[in-house]
């Protein structure tokens, strides 16, 4: 039970609900406090004006009644008592030397005078007779019941309004939280469906901008996952085909020889041998790829002159390019360019790239190898004007067994592992290999290797 509660508390809808509710309640309380303070200020000002007004009215009434000074008669005391109650004030009448108190309702009401009380001199016929101290007490309903009732009404309405606003804030917070998380929940539901293996889920691009971006990213990820799954499916089909074709041919011919259908003639044995070579080449390529992907744990890194290394690869492929009628050129950096690499592995990378360039460049074409460098990197570029790769196929040419033109690749003897091996070996050196190509125009492969090799944790160098 507590686990479910804790999970709900961590949900975005609950967090948004509590955030809006807290903001609304704090805002309402602040407004209520300001409003009450303003009301109190207005009421105090009103009371001060009223008290002063009533005080002067009492003094005028006392003059008309003939009250000049004390001591007062009992009738005069009762008259002042009625007047004070009529005007809603507490009244104290004392002598000018403050030694005698002739009338006092403060003590009768058991209320001590405060800083809100007002004191004025009482004069008759131009002579000062004493002092009148007055104070308006709202808490005493007997003195001013109308004011007290009004204050109770204001207090009740304020509380009722506060409760109503809090309830409205709760409902508004629930509404806003649901509206804002509705699209997020839809994205979560779509992600769950995708996690279960559904790749045809359409993620709607609705809601706030952040949710739209999330949905767009999820949509792109779904498309990429589908492409990867399709690629793995095709990979298994290609691998199965590449293994099954030579095996089927071998089995058919050997069974025919065993059954006496064919004689073990040299030509038939040569066919069997070629199929075995093809099968052996596929297995060797797969083994090389496996070694390349784990090469970062078994690199024999040495400081190597990259210009001389590239020149050696260029020299190795000169005969092949001449036989095919392709012009192979080399542009060195003209200064020694050293980098910490595994010489054999980088030769393998360059050989794969140059071999592909020559293989897919028609007779009369050009292949150029160029070496450049800066303070941090060595850059080797291999550019050709061959058949090129389409924009659709370009992102996948480094995938295992991927072939833009399967029939041509199979007839030319490759199975789509050369570039995968080259990429794995370059990355094992903390480098990169990138391809730019345009169908019918040519391709440029760029190998970037760091000058200084930094081993990974646990890596042998």
């Amino acid at each position: 039970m507590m686990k479910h509660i804790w999970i709900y508390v961590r949900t975005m809808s609950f967090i948004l609900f509590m955030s809006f509710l807290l903001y609304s309640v704090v805002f309402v309380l602040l407004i209520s406090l300001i409003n009450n303070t303003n009301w109190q200020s207005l009421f105090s000002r009103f009371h001060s004006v009223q008290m002063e007004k009533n005080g002067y009215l009492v003094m005028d009434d006392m003059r008309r009644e003939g009250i000049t000074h004390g001591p007062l008669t009992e009738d005069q005391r009762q008259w002042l008592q009625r007047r004070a109650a009529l005007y809603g004030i507490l009244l104290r009448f004392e002598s000018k030397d403050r030694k005698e108190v002739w009338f006092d309702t403060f003590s009768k009401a058991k209320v001590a005078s405060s800083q809100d009380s007002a004191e004025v001199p009482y004069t008759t016929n131009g002579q000062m007779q004493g002092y009148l101290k007055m104070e308006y007490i709202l808490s005493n309903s007997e003195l001013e019941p109308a004011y007290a009732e009004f204050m109770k009404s204001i207090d009740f309405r304020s509380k009722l309004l506060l409760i109503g606003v809090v309830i409205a804030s709760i409902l508004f917070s629930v509404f806003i939280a649901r509206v804002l998380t509705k699209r997020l929940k839809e994205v979560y539901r779509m992600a769950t469906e995708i996690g279960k293996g559904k790749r045809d889920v359409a993620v709607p691009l609705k809601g706030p901008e952040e949710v739209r971006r999330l949905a767009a990213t999820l949509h792109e990820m779904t498309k990429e996952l589908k492409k990867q799954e399709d690629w793995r499916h095709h990979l298994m089909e290609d691998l199965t085909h590449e293994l099954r074709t030579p095996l089927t041919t071998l089995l058919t011919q050997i069974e025919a020889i065993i059954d006496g259908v064919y004689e073990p003639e040299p030509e038939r044995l040569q066919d069997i041998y070629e199929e075995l070579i093809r099968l052996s080449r596929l297995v060797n390529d797969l083994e090389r790829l496996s070694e390349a992907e784990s090469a970062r744990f078994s690199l024999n890194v040495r400081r190597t002159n990259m210009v001389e290394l590239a020149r050696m690869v260029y020299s190795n492929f000169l005969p092949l390019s001449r036989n095919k009628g392709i012009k192979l050129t080399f542009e060195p950096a003209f200064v020694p360019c050293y980098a910490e690499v595994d010489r054999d592995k980088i030769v393998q990378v360059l050989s794969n790239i140059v071999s592909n360039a020559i293989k897919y460049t028609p007779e009369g074409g050009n292949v150029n190898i160029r070496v450049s460098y800066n303070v941090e990197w060595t850059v080797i570029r291999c550019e050709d004007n061959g058949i090129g790769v389409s924009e659709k196929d370009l992102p996948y040419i480094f995938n295992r067994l991927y072939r833009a033109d399967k029939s041509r690749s199979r007839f030319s003897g490759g199975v789509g592992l050369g570039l995968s091996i080259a990429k794995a070996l370059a990355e094992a050196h903390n480098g990169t290999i990138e391809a730019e190509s345009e169908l019918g125009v040519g391709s440029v492969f760029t190998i970037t290797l760091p000058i200084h090799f930094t081993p990974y944790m646990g890596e042998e160098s």
Side-chain angles (χ1 to χ4, degrees):
M1 181 66 180
M2 291 301 297
K3 181 180 179 181
H4 292 294
I5 294 176
W6 176 242
I7 292 175
Y8 177 73
V9 168
R10 290 185 299 172
T11 59
M12 182 62 71
S13 59
F14 182 80
I15 294 174
L16 287 174
F17 165 73
M18 291 303 299
S19 299
F20 281 111
L21 179 60
L22 183 62
Y23 170 79
S24 301
V25 170
V26 170
F27 180 76
V28 168
L29 290 177
L30 183 61
I31 294 298
S32 178
L33 178 62
I34 295 174
N35 184 61
N36 289 338
T37 303
N38 184 55
W39 269 106
Q40 291 292 340
S41 176
L42 291 175
F43 235 59
S44 297
R45 198 178 308 158
F46 171 74
H47 293 157
S48 298
V49 173
Q50 283 295 103
M51 183 173 63
E52 184 178 355
K53 174 184 175 182
N54 291 339
Y56 283 109
L57 290 175
V58 169
M59 286 193 291
D60 289 341
D61 291 343
M62 288 174 63
R63 294 188 187 100
R64 284 195 295 269
E65 189 65 20
I67 300 175
T68 56
H69 55 79
L72 303 179
T73 64
E74 184 63 27
D75 290 339
Q76 290 175 333
R77 288 177 179 277
Q78 291 181 1
W79 183 85
L80 276 179
Q81 178 71 37
R82 291 194 298 272
R83 285 295 170 180
L86 176 64
Y87 292 116
I89 60 174
L90 296 175
L91 182 63
R92 177 182 293 166
F93 184 26
E94 57 186 11
S95 62
K96 61 181 180 180
D97 57 5
R98 301 183 186 279
K99 292 182 179 180
E100 297 181 67
V101 178
W102 297 320
F103 181 79
D104 187 9
T105 56
F106 282 89
S107 58
K108 183 178 179 181
K110 297 180 180 181
V111 175
S113 61
S114 65
Q115 60 181 6
D116 295 329
S117 60
E119 187 177 72
V120 294
Y122 178 60
T123 59
T124 58
N125 299 323
Q127 294 182 355
M128 180 178 172
Q129 305 296 334
Y131 293 96
L132 286 176
K133 178 174 284 190
M134 298 164 288
E135 184 172 347
Y136 192 78
I137 304 298
L138 288 176
S139 59
N140 194 333
S141 60
E142 293 183 357
L143 296 178
E144 192 60 78
Y147 289 156
E149 188 65 27
F150 179 72
M151 287 299 295
K152 288 181 180 179
S153 176
I154 290 294
D155 185 60
F156 174 76
R157 292 180 181 180
S158 298
K159 291 180 179 178
L160 190 63
L161 179 62
L162 179 62
I163 294 173
V165 171
V166 169
I167 294 175
S169 299
I170 293 174
L171 297 177
F172 178 75
S173 300
V174 171
F175 173 75
I176 291 295
R178 287 186 175 181
V179 169
L180 293 179
T181 57
K182 178 181 178 181
R183 301 302 177 187
L184 193 60
K185 289 180 178 178
E186 287 184 3
V187 174
Y188 171 75
R189 183 176 59 82
M190 298 296 180
T192 303
E193 295 293 327
I194 293 171
K196 293 179 179 178
K198 296 183 179 180
R199 299 292 182 260
D200 55 348
V201 177
V203 183
L205 301 179
K206 298 179 180 179
E209 182 62 25
E210 290 79 3
V211 178
R212 287 173 178 263
R213 293 179 182 178
L214 178 61
T217 303
L218 186 62
H219 181 67
E220 292 299 321
M221 184 182 69
T222 304
K223 289 170 60 178
E224 186 61 28
L225 283 174
K226 191 173 187 306
K227 289 180 181 178
Q228 291 295 329
E229 287 185 352
D230 291 341
W231 171 77
R232 281 194 293 267
H233 178 71
H234 292 310
L235 182 145
M236 293 306 299
E237 287 183 346
D238 290 344
L239 186 58
T240 302
H241 176 77
E242 294 294 339
L243 289 172
R244 183 174 55 206
T245 301
L247 286 175
T248 303
T249 304
L250 287 172
L251 287 173
T252 302
Q253 295 193 47
I254 291 174
E255 285 178 356
I257 292 174
I258 292 174
D259 293 339
V261 178
Y262 294 146
E263 294 294 330
E265 300 172 352
E267 293 81 3
R268 298 194 182 282
L269 293 177
Q270 181 64 31
D271 291 341
I272 293 174
Y273 175 74
E274 290 177 358
E275 292 297 332
L276 287 172
I277 290 296
R278 181 182 177 189
L279 185 61
S280 177
R281 185 169 57 241
L282 174 60
V283 174
N284 287 337
D285 284 346
L286 290 172
E287 183 180 8
R288 289 169 59 198
L289 178 61
S290 177
E291 291 176 355
E293 291 181 336
S294 61
R296 63 176 52 192
F297 301 104
S298 58
L299 291 178
N300 184 22
V301 176
R302 295 291 181 271
R303 190 166 182 265
T304 304
N305 188 333
M306 300 301 293
V307 174
E308 292 302 320
L309 185 145
R311 191 190 304 275
M312 182 189 70
V313 174
Y314 160 75
S315 300
N316 292 340
F317 280 93
L318 266 180
L320 177 63
S321 63
R322 288 171 180 170
N323 290 336
K324 195 176 178 183
I326 295 173
K327 183 180 180 181
L328 179 64
T329 57
F330 177 64
E331 295 182 25
F334 297 109
V335 293
C337 177
Y338 289 90
E340 297 175 353
V341 298
D342 184 320
R343 182 183 179 89
D344 294 337
K345 298 296 190 296
I346 298 304
V347 167
Q348 187 175 350
V349 172
L350 291 176
S351 297
N352 278 330
I353 299 299
V354 176
S355 173
N356 274 351
I358 295 173
K359 182 186 300 182
Y360 297 117
T361 299
E363 183 178 354
N366 299 307
V367 176
N368 176 260
I369 303 171
R370 184 168 60 216
V371 181
S372 60
Y373 75 100
N374 56 40
V375 294
E376 295 182 353
W377 305 93
T378 295
V379 181
I380 304 174
R381 291 167 58 92
C382 180
E383 183 175 358
D384 66 69
N385 59 351
I387 61 175
V389 181
S390 68
E391 183 179 356
K392 175 184 176 183
D393 294 317
L394 188 61
Y396 308 103
I397 60 174
F398 292 104
N399 291 350
R400 301 183 189 122
L401 296 177
Y402 187 85
R403 296 176 305 211
D405 188 333
K406 296 184 179 181
S407 60
R408 180 176 63 241
S409 180
R410 186 172 294 119
F411 286 125
S412 59
V415 291
L417 290 174
L419 291 180
S420 299
I421 294 171
K423 182 175 185 292
L425 290 174
E427 291 178 349
H429 286 79
N430 304 324
T432 61
I433 179 169
E434 299 174 343
E436 302 173 26
S437 187
E438 185 177 349
L439 190 63
V441 176
S443 304
V444 178
F445 284 83
T446 304
I447 304 165
T448 305
L449 299 169
I451 299 296
H452 300 287
F453 178 73
T454 303
Y456 288 85
M457 185 176 297
E459 181 178 5
E460 298 177 4
S461 61

